[in-house]
Amino acid sequence: MKRIHVKGNTWVLEGPQLVGLYQIDESTCLLLDPGSTKLQGEIEAALAQAGLTPVGVLCTHMHYDHHESTRYFRETYGAQTCLPQLEADIVRSEESLKNHLFNFTMGMIRTIPRLQNLVCPVDRVIAFGETELVFCGVPLQVVRTPGHAPDHVCFITPDNVCFAGDVLMTEDVLAGAMVPFVFDMADDLKSKEIVAGLSCDAYIFCHKGIRYGSVAELAQMNIRHIQGQLAACGALVTEPMTYSQFYAAVVTAMDLPVGHPARGLHLERYIRPYLEYLVDRGDLTLIEQNGAPAVAPKEARHGR
């Protein structure tokens, strides 16, 4: 991975995604969202070339493409770990992870390496309402940006650089995003507005880009994209559909790749928040159909 300077002591390691790096001194650093285990070797090579050892790992949220390597750096280098409250709660045990990934079987949680790697001790939990912390001697601001994940946060380094995780996507990533993942759509839309209103000198987005100056227009572009995808999903419901039928309709209409049962479970988790938000917003009506939860156009009545 290539080490790219952003500002002051704030850097990124550029590869398939951006991994944040805050250089504490000549030999130690913090890693922010070190990503999946596929990146470990490349991260280690870049750190070795720079003569740096990671003493702390911070994650904006617990998704595997941000957090999966955390346990490795803790066990290999003794790096301290830091996650926000709800994200830390999810990765505390196999049972808590299953509670979050409710549509995966317990056997999958216990045997799929990508899921097993998520379970990790958290040395520093960012409590609700906490907006500042000192981690491994580095003062950081914390901006609560839930939505993409239950307790997603952004970190602002002492250089006034915002490490923004997945709260926004840059233009090239957005162009190919059919159903951007969210946990709670209402919170996610609010969080995009929050980031739009920040006054940082630079912003680092993991997937993938660095932006200097305001990101207000980028935030509005993300919001418009989400609203467009919501409308496209809602338009598929022209008659009552079970949840499974809705998922299948979205996968077909958007030509989403499945190819494996586990991928199908992931796609269900991607699509469900769109369905839930359309129900909450009143675009669709929640009904029962032959004993199964279903949705219908908003003018439909229960039991029709």
Side-chain angles (χ1 to χ4, degrees), residues 19-100:
V19 173
L21 187 155
Y22 184 83
Q23 187 165 339
I24 300 171
D25 53 34
E26 292 184 357
S27 61
T28 61
C29 67
L30 300 179
L31 292 175
L32 296 94
D33 287 9
S36 75
T37 55
K38 293 180 180 179
L39 300 181
Q40 286 170 191
E42 296 180 61
I43 292 173
E44 288 181 303
L47 293 177
Q49 185 175 31
L52 295 173
T53 299
V55 295
V57 176
L58 303 102
C59 291
T60 57
H61 60 299
M62 54 64 62
H63 292 171
Y64 78 88
D65 55 339
H66 295 258
H67 164 69
E68 189 189 2
S69 285
T70 298
R71 190 172 74 185
Y72 173 82
F73 286 104
R74 186 180 191 273
E75 293 175 349
T76 305
Y77 297 92
Q80 297 289 289
T81 59
C82 178
L83 272 80
Q85 180 74 64
L86 290 180
E87 307 299 306
D89 290 344
I90 292 168
V91 303
R92 197 171 301 279
S93 67
E94 292 175 340
E95 290 75 17
S96 58
L97 183 59
K98 163 62 177 168
N99 191 46
H100 179 66

Side-chain angles (χ1 to χ4, degrees), residues 279-294:
V279 170
D280 287 344
R281 197 169 67 175
D283 298 56
L284 301 177
T285 299
L286 181 64
I287 64 170
E288 171 272 335
Q289 183 169 282
N290 299 321

